[in-house]
Amino acid sequence: MDADGLPLVGPGIDYTKVEAINQKRTIAFINHFITHTSRFLNRFSCVCEEKLENLHTRIQQLEISLSLLEAKLSSVPGLENAAEPPPPEAPAATPVSKDPRYMRYFKMVQVGVPPQAVKGKMAAEGLDPDLLDNPDAPAPADDSPKKDADSDASESDSDSAASFSD
């Protein structure tokens, strides 16, 4: 027996010689456990219901705000097709290496001009220098205004000669 009067149970104990635990004491332990467990579960349930109610209220507020925003947006003229995605690009797009705007840069690399120098030239002229690394990428749309053929040719010759005559 220990200090509380409970028998010590272990591997070397003969259970036929151990006295039984008082039934009233066992029932008191079980009742205490059930009472505390049910209080905890009731409290937990209340907290969960409060959080779910708060979440439901916030979702309702978001739905109302979304409805108001949709109503405001639908009242603006010209936004009927704003949610539609743009049409897909043509599947037979010209590769960058065949595009007239980029062909001369690929030619420069072929004749031995360092790629970094060519990329710098492309960036200075407002073109994407990363396209030099991927010659099979589709060429971007031409958004620049058209120039005269005479001024374009003369400018092209003078630019390429001036940029590489250090």
Side-chain angles (χ1 to χ4, degrees), residues 6-112:
L6 296 174
L8 295 176
V9 179
I13 301 291
D14 183 12
Y15 295 112
T16 58
K17 297 181 181 177
V18 176
E19 295 179 28
I21 298 176
N22 188 349
Q23 286 183 347
K24 289 183 180 179
R25 193 173 200 180
T26 304
I27 292 173
F29 283 133
I30 292 172
N31 283 341
H32 179 74
F33 173 76
I34 291 173
T35 304
H36 281 280
T37 303
S38 61
R39 282 184 191 156
F40 167 76
L41 292 174
N42 284 335
R43 220 176 10 242
F44 181 74
S45 172
C46 288
V47 168
C48 289
E49 286 179 11
E50 286 176 11
K51 289 188 180 213
L52 284 173
E53 185 179 345
N54 289 339
L55 186 62
H56 181 69
T57 304
R58 287 176 38 200
I59 290 174
Q60 283 180 334
Q61 290 172 345
L62 284 173
E63 287 176 348
I64 291 169
S65 297
L66 181 62
S67 296
L68 290 173
L69 182 61
E70 286 175 347
K72 287 180 181 180
L73 284 175
S74 66
S75 69
V76 175
L79 291 181
E80 293 83 22
N81 298 329
E84 295 179 12
E89 291 185 23
T94 306
V96 173
S97 60
K98 304 292 185 204
D99 188 282
R101 295 171 292 163
Y102 292 91
M103 282 176 59
R104 68 182 187 147
Y105 301 107
F106 285 100
K107 183 72 173 173
M108 288 179 190
V109 172
Q110 284 178 350
V111 297

